[in-house]
Amino acid sequence: ARSLCTRAILTVRDLLASKRSSAVKFVAADAPVVVAAQQLTNNRETALIVKDPSTRRVVGLLTQGDIVRCLASRLTAENMSLQTLPSEAAVGWDDEPADPALGMVSWDVPVSCIMTPTEKIVYLTPGDTIDEARDLLATCGKRHIPVLDGSSFLGVISPMTVLRCLSPAGGRSAKDAFVTTVMPRRGVPQTTQIDQPAEGEEAQQRLAITPAVCNLPHPHKGTAGEDAYLLGPQLVGVADGVGSWWEGGIDPAAFARGLMFASRNSCTKLKREEELDPAKVLLDAWHKMKLSRLIGSSTACLVSLDPHKTELRAANIGDSGFLLLRRQAGSSSMVEPA
């Protein structure tokens, strides 16, 4: 088998010849699922050809995934949990149906009910190249593809079949290959952890705001202006103090700056960035300004970004506002309103 895999152009026929066993494994369509599962395990196979027991006609293909999906569909929350999975004796492995009153799985479901029928099977021919086989596996999303020569099934090709043929042992014995290849990589350290958010947490941050500000006060006012701003990684804001407060000797910028300062403090109270609701932040900042008894008024505009839901949220009071611009398609410099 190894010498076959050294040819310049490999075919599906070579893949079949490189398998440990070339015998085609069958299961009867009326056989219960448990018999098929035992046959897969005993023969160290991952798929079986399904035949009609009376005519020997091929009627479908059964894989390990089909059996798992069958179990998942029957183990419902109402009648079964993983903690109460019955033992072999309780299920009735000798074709004895389980008691429905106990909510147990009946393992006598026939293979024909869960197999892939012939009209949905994608197949290869012995003359197809290994590249064609690999492309078909990747394109159709199937992990098991039968090989059909005319009206005869020759076997089943899987990604493992392709890998074993493309990675020959190079003259080494199976023992030497196992010792040098598998043993150094066997066993996961007990301290290994999942490098992902814990259950219930949101996905890792994907988006963030890169804030910047440009303050251009009126040249005739002689001050830094009445504007104030808030810059943060997930929330930005601007406030424009009402200039008519100058007539009463009150600096309009004081209230605007105080409102943005209070908004910043409101942000620090929120434990998660998803809670940065601009309306809530602004309302909390307003209550703090009332307690401070600072005289004045201003417009306010707060905009926040949810890094996981890709949502932009805003709260606006008065004649402040924001504009969302996006680059035009096919242009690296031109922008247009979103």
Side-chain angles (χ1 to χ4, degrees):
R2 293 172 186 165
S3 61
L4 292 173
C5 294
T6 59
R7 296 178 182 177
I9 300 178
L10 298 175
T11 65
V12 171
R13 185 177 285 106
D14 297 327
L15 295 179
L16 291 175
S18 69
K19 296 183 66 175
R20 288 190 297 262
S21 174
S22 59
V24 181
K25 303 299 189 299
F26 294 92
V27 65
D30 58 356
V33 171
V34 64
V35 172
Q38 290 172 339
Q39 189 171 342
L40 286 171
T41 303
N42 295 337
N43 295 318
R44 300 179 64 184
E45 295 287 344
T46 57
L48 297 171
I49 301 297
V50 184
K51 65 179 181 179
D52 186 330
S54 59
T55 63
R56 298 185 60 84
R57 182 175 60 88
V58 174
V59 295
L61 177 70
L62 180 73
T63 67
Q64 292 175 332
D66 296 326
I67 297 178
V68 171
R69 281 187 288 272
C70 174
L71 292 177
S73 64
R74 299 174 70 85
L75 293 176
T76 61
E78 291 78 17
N79 63 12
M80 181 66 64
S81 66
L82 294 179
Q83 289 73 24
T84 60
L85 188 64
S87 62
E88 294 182 4
V91 178
W93 293 91
D94 297 326
D95 295 341
E96 290 291 335
D99 185 359
L102 298 178
M104 296 182 179
V105 177
S106 177
W107 288 90
D108 59 353
V109 176
V111 168
S112 58
C113 292
I114 66 171
M115 69 180 185
T116 301
T118 52
E119 59 267 21
K120 295 184 178 180
I121 292 178
V122 179
Y123 65 90
L124 289 163
T125 63
D128 291 330
T129 66
I130 191 172
D131 290 335
E132 291 172 332
R134 186 170 51 191
D135 291 342
L136 185 59
L137 285 166
T139 303
C140 71
K142 305 292 185 181
R143 294 182 57 84
H144 305 87
I145 298 184
V147 180
L148 185 64
D149 186 9
S151 59
S152 301
F153 269 95
L154 303 183
V156 179
I157 295 298
S158 69
M160 184 59 68
T161 310
V162 178
L163 289 175
R164 283 175 176 167
C165 191
L166 293 178
S167 303
R172 295 179 298 171
S173 66
K175 179 179 179 180
D176 291 339
F178 183 86
V179 170
T180 58
T181 305
V182 179
M183 289 300 295
R185 300 170 176 84
R186 188 173 186 177
V188 177
Q190 296 183 356
T191 57
T192 302
Q193 298 180 355
I194 298 177
D195 189 17
Q196 291 181 355
E199 184 178 356
E201 293 183 358
E202 296 292 338
Q204 295 181 351
Q205 177 174 313
R206 296 180 180 178
L207 298 176
I209 295 176
T210 303
V213 64
C214 181
N215 190 13
L216 299 175
H218 196 282
H220 299 305
K221 289 187 177 181
T223 66
E226 295 86 22
D227 296 337
Y229 48 85
L230 168 65
L231 303 180
Q234 298 299 336
L235 186 141
V236 294
V238 63
D240 182 10
V242 178
S244 58
W245 284 102
W246 281 115
E247 300 175 1
I250 298 174
D251 183 1
F255 187 91
R257 294 167 184 166
L259 184 63
M260 291 294 98
F261 184 80
S263 298
R264 187 194 70 175
N265 291 341
S266 298
C267 293
T268 60
K269 294 171 52 179
L270 303 176
K271 297 181 180 180
R272 302 197 317 174
E273 292 166 342
E274 291 79 359
E275 299 174 351
L276 287 179
D277 186 339
K280 294 180 179 179
V281 172
L282 192 58
L283 180 61
D284 186 69
W286 160 245
H287 288 303
K288 292 178 180 177
M289 292 300 295
K290 289 180 63 178
L291 294 176
S292 70
R293 299 185 181 276
L294 188 63
I295 300 176
S297 58
S298 76
T299 66
C301 181
L302 295 180
V303 178
S304 71
L305 175 66
D306 189 309
H308 310 298
K309 297 181 180 179
T310 62
E311 293 179 350
L312 196 67
R313 297 169 292 187
N316 187 74
I317 297 177
D319 58 2
S320 292
F322 69 96
L323 180 64
L324 182 61
L325 300 175
R326 287 197 178 100
R327 295 190 186 279
Q328 294 180 357
S331 174
S332 60
S333 58
M334 298 297 293
V335 295
E336 60 184 0

